[in-house]
């Protein structure tokens, strides 16, 4: 037993051997069917069977309620929550090395035990337990079972602290329920941040009381000229709370000083010439800029960030900073050198697209650059890292979920690359950028821009199966990286997505069961 922890990374080799697709099609799972691949998996003989009266006992009421909520609809079982139970979730007894988000899961024919050091760790263990149950457990209506969990031990913890997805709700607005379902989907793959791109040229999507026309007018359209929309503060709090119950932190982005046409159209005084441009429903980039020489611009930024910070329990405010082509380099730096300290003074850590690595932009404490470039080298990013910046890896030619899979993909664009599943998977976030060592990489994020993405079905088609690929890069140890093993484990997820109603891309690179 003890040796197993010492040899944890060697045991990863076992984790990447998937059962034959026939077993998956018959609804059986094996300890190896997991995405992302755990640090170590040791199968044992036998299985635990869920029964109507199986009790759940937990040191964290929220995770117990979540687990019962996942299991009850398909099983139809009561699954009472009690002080003691055959399923127990405990905040003590986990090995120290699982850290803040890791867990140990032990399954025997008599019990299921998850031990972790935090509720987030228990929650991650619950996602593993969920994937060890048959795919039909994802059904919203009662299914026959049997509900067996293969026996064994999983000991697991993430490689990177930040594992993110991004939704662009500015180019096309996506309603609260869609965002909540996306949160439910990403939780299954142990993603722990959802970045919401809340403003862009085509729309402003969050109510700001001190500048009400941002949402009421700036949010009134979208790409192609549809009705747009925005989140009220109540809506937004609902999203934040839904995410928090899934141990996901919302990272709100207000993109400045470029990508600001919706704000400029709403308030003429934010324009250098005092004239509001019309609302914009096209897809060009790089044409708009806040007027960096006007004092009212800084009042605006301060007001918006203060209201956003008050809505945001998480540590980060994302201030964009990309494609500010209509702002001179000097104005860009002068503007960010005032805007970033505003976020810091609100108690938040600044995140920005990697253009904020421009040398004249001063470092702020804990600053995070989100790298979306196409190259494996960016001297400005490397320089900012040597000055203390951390990096979220979102290379557009690997992680942008709006890129087409292949030339026939109905949705999406191609400017960064075609991205089939293997391209999304086969790279190393810890060694991608010269001069950015793994220790400076906070994690990975898969952004989904929505110029061409209109419906929830569109979102899901582009996210699956590439989002789980990026999630695995964020969670699993480097030593577990193995395309052949990944494609087999991914295949085992297909029936789960079918049950969840996710219309995923049936990549020809994967042998889907059934
Ligand atoms: C970006 O794709 N403009 C961050």
């Amino acid at each position: 037993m003890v040796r197993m922890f010492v040899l944890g990374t060697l045991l990863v080799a076992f984790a990447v051997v998937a059962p034959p697709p026939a077993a998956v099609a018959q609804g059986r799972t094996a300890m190896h069917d997991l995405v992302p691949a755990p640090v170590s998996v040791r199968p044992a003989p036998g299985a635990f069977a869920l029964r109507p009266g199986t009790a759940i006992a937990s040191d964290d009421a929220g995770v117990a309620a979540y687990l019962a909520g996942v299991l009850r609809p398909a099983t139809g079982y009561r699954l009472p929550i009690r002080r003691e139970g055959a399923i127990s979730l405990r905040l003590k007894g986990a090995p120290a090395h699982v850290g803040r988000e890791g867990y140990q899961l032990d399954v025997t024919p008599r019990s299921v035990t998850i031990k972790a050091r935090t509720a987030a760790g228990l929650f991650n263990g619950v996602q593993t337990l969920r994937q060890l149950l048959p795919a039909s457990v994802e059904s919203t209506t009662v299914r026959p079972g049997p509900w067996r969990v293969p026996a064994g031990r999983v000991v697991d913890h993430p490689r990177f602290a930040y594992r993110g997805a991004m939704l662009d709700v500015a180019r096309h607005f996506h309603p609260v329920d869609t965002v909540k379902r996306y949160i439910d989907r990403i939780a299954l793959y142990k993603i722990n941040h959802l970045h919401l791109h809340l403003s862009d040229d085509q729309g402003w999507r969050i109510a700001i009381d001190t500048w009400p026309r941002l949402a009421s007018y700036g949010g009134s359209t979208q790409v192609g000229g549809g009705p747009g929309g925005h989140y009220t503060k109540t809506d937004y709090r609902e999203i934040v709370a839904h995410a928090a119950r899934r141990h996901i932190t919302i990272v709100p982005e207000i993109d400045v000083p470029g990508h600001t046409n919706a704000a400029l159209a709403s308030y003429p005084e934010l324009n250098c010439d005092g004239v509001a441009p019309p609302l914009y429903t096209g897809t060009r980039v790089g044409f708009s800029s806040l007027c960096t020489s006007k004092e009212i611009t800084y009042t605006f930024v301060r007001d918006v960030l203060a209201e956003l910070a008050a809505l945001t329990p998480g540590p980060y405010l994302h201030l964009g900073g990309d494609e500010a082509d209509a702002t001179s380099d000097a104005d860009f730096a002068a503007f960010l050198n005032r805007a970033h300290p505003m976020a810091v003074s609100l108690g938040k850590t600044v995140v920005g697209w990697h253009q904020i690595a421009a040398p004249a932009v001063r470092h702020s404490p804990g600053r995070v650059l989100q790298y979306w470039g196409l190259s494996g080298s960016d001297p400005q990013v490397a320089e900012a890292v040597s000055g203390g910046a951390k990096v979220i890896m979102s290379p557009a030619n690997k992680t942008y979920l709006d890129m087409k899979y292949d030339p026939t993909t109905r949705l999406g664009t191609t400017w960064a690359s075609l991205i089939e599943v293997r391209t999304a998977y086969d790279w190393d976030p810890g060694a991608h950028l010269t001069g950015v060592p793994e220790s400076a990489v906070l994690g990975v994020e898969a952004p989904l821009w929505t110029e061409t993405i209109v419906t929830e079905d569109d979102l899901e088609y582009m996210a699956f199966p590439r989002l789980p690929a990026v999630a695995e890069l964020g969670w699993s140890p480097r030593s577990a990286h193995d395309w052949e093993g990944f494609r087999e484990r991914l295949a085992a997820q297909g029936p789960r997505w079918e049950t969840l109603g996710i219309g995923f891309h049936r990549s020809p690179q994967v042998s889907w069961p059934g």
Side-chain angles (χ1 to χ4, degrees):
M1 227 35 123
V2 172
R3 259 184 39 221
M4 185 192 132
F5 298 125
V6 178
L7 298 177
T9 47
L10 291 179
L11 286 165
V12 163
F14 291 96
V16 295
V17 181
V24 175
Q26 289 160 20
R28 283 187 280 129
T29 63
M31 271 259 151
H32 307 120
D33 277 347
L34 300 164
V35 175
V39 171
S40 78
V41 175
R42 191 166 73 171
F48 174 85
L50 213 55
R51 300 183 202 291
T54 300
I56 299 172
S58 178
D59 292 339
D60 184 273
V63 181
Y66 173 88
L67 175 59
V70 166
L71 301 181
R72 282 176 185 150
T75 62
Y77 295 170
R78 285 183 298 117
L79 304 174
I81 297 172
R82 301 235 174 91
R83 285 170 65 86
E84 301 295 329
I87 299 178
S88 64
L89 314 179
R90 297 301 178 204
L91 287 171
K92 48 185 178 300
H97 77 269
V98 303
R100 215 190 61 73
E101 288 191 285
Y103 63 91
Q104 174 175 305
L105 167 67
D106 284 293
V107 182
T108 73
R110 299 166 66 90
S111 66
V112 172
T113 308
I114 301 174
K115 294 176 182 163
R117 300 166 75 82
T118 66
L122 290 179
F123 186 82
N124 287 323
V126 159
Q127 297 311 321
T128 296
L129 172 60
R130 183 177 168 190
Q131 288 194 19
L132 291 174
L133 282 155
S136 53
V137 80
E138 308 296 343
S139 172
T140 53
T141 56
V142 176
R143 301 280 282 270
W147 305 107
R148 291 205 186 96
V149 185
R153 168 172 284 190
V154 177
V155 186
D156 201 13
H157 56 86
R159 178 179 178 191
F160 294 109
Y162 187 107
R163 303 172 307 280
M166 187 206 84
L167 262 189
D168 168 11
V169 294
R171 269 50 176 273
H172 280 99
F173 182 64
H174 296 277
V176 173
D177 283 347
T178 300
V179 177
K180 285 163 74 175
R181 270 189 295 273
Y182 202 63
I183 288 169
D184 294 345
R185 309 295 196 225
I186 67 180
L188 183 50
Y189 297 99
K190 302 186 175 80
I191 286 178
N192 63 357
H193 290 81
L194 177 66
H195 164 188
L196 290 176
H197 184 75
L198 290 168
S199 71
D200 213 301
D201 291 319
Q202 299 87 348
W204 184 285
R205 306 304 181 198
I206 178 76
I208 299 293
D209 298 336
T210 46
W211 296 75
R213 270 175 64 82
L214 291 170
S216 65
Y217 182 69
S220 66
T221 192
Q222 59 189 9
V223 167
H230 70 271
Y231 306 123
T232 64
K233 287 191 169 176
T234 303
D235 290 339
Y236 191 78
R237 286 193 189 97
E238 191 178 322
I239 291 171
V240 168
H242 187 84
R245 285 193 291 274
R246 286 146 188 81
H247 295 272
I248 290 173
T249 300
I250 298 293
V251 180
E253 179 186 355
I254 296 298
D255 201 348
V256 287
H259 288 277
T260 42
N261 190 78
L264 298 168
S266 304
Y267 287 97
E269 58 268 44
L270 296 177
N271 297 268
C272 285
D273 62 3
V275 178
L279 292 169
Y280 182 68
T281 61
T283 59
R284 273 189 308 121
V285 296
F287 63 89
S288 57
S289 178
L290 293 174
C291 186
T292 59
S293 59
K294 276 187 165 177
E295 204 47 36
I296 186 125
T297 296
Y298 299 93
T299 305
F300 163 78
V301 173
R302 188 176 297 112
D303 289 346
V304 168
L305 293 183
E307 292 194 35
L308 204 57
L311 287 170
T312 301
Y316 301 117
L317 291 184
H318 198 310
L319 271 67
D322 59 320
E323 296 172 317
D325 304 340
T327 319
S328 74
D329 290 352
D331 289 351
F332 180 73
F335 171 80
L336 293 189
N337 285 336
R338 290 189 65 181
H340 287 179
M342 290 178 191
V344 173
S345 73
L346 291 161
K348 299 299 180 187
T349 299
V350 170
V351 187
W353 299 104
H354 73 266
Q355 281 71 26
I356 69 165
V361 177
R362 281 193 291 277
H363 181 67
S364 61
R367 177 167 79 137
V368 180
L369 315 177
Q370 185 166 9
Y371 181 71
W372 62 282
L374 304 182
S375 137
S377 159
D378 186 311
Q380 288 191 353
V381 172
E383 185 59 31
V385 161
S386 65
K390 298 281 190 215
V391 180
I392 295 169
M393 287 291 175
S394 298
N397 51 350
K398 308 285 182 195
T399 67
Y400 269 28
L401 300 178
D402 58 315
M403 293 299 119
K404 290 178 185 288
Y405 291 97
D406 63 47
T408 70
T409 308
R410 178 178 64 87
L411 303 162
T413 61
T414 58
W415 66 262
S417 185
L418 294 171
I419 305 182
E420 248 299 354
V421 185
R422 185 168 187 169
T423 304
Y425 178 76
D426 250 348
W427 63 286
D428 180 1
H432 188 70
L433 261 191
T434 307
V436 180
E438 175 149 349
S439 57
V441 176
L442 192 61
V444 290
E445 183 178 295
L448 182 39
W449 300 102
T450 61
E451 283 92 338
T452 67
I453 309 298
V454 182
T455 67
E456 188 169 352
D457 286 349
D458 294 351
L459 291 177
E460 293 189 339
Y461 182 76
M462 299 308 266
F464 290 87
R466 293 181 291 195
L467 186 68
V470 177
E472 171 143 328
L473 295 179
W475 180 281
S476 303
R478 174 78 189 93
S479 55
H481 194 90
D482 167 41
W483 164 249
E484 288 304 325
F486 178 69
R487 62 190 282 275
E488 291 185 20
R489 287 180 293 106
L490 199 60
Q493 301 296 308
R496 205 163 289 274
W497 300 337
E498 279 166 10
T499 311
L500 284 166
I502 297 174
F504 61 99
H505 167 61
R506 289 183 170 272
S507 167
Q509 297 180 332
V510 177
S511 305
W512 305 102

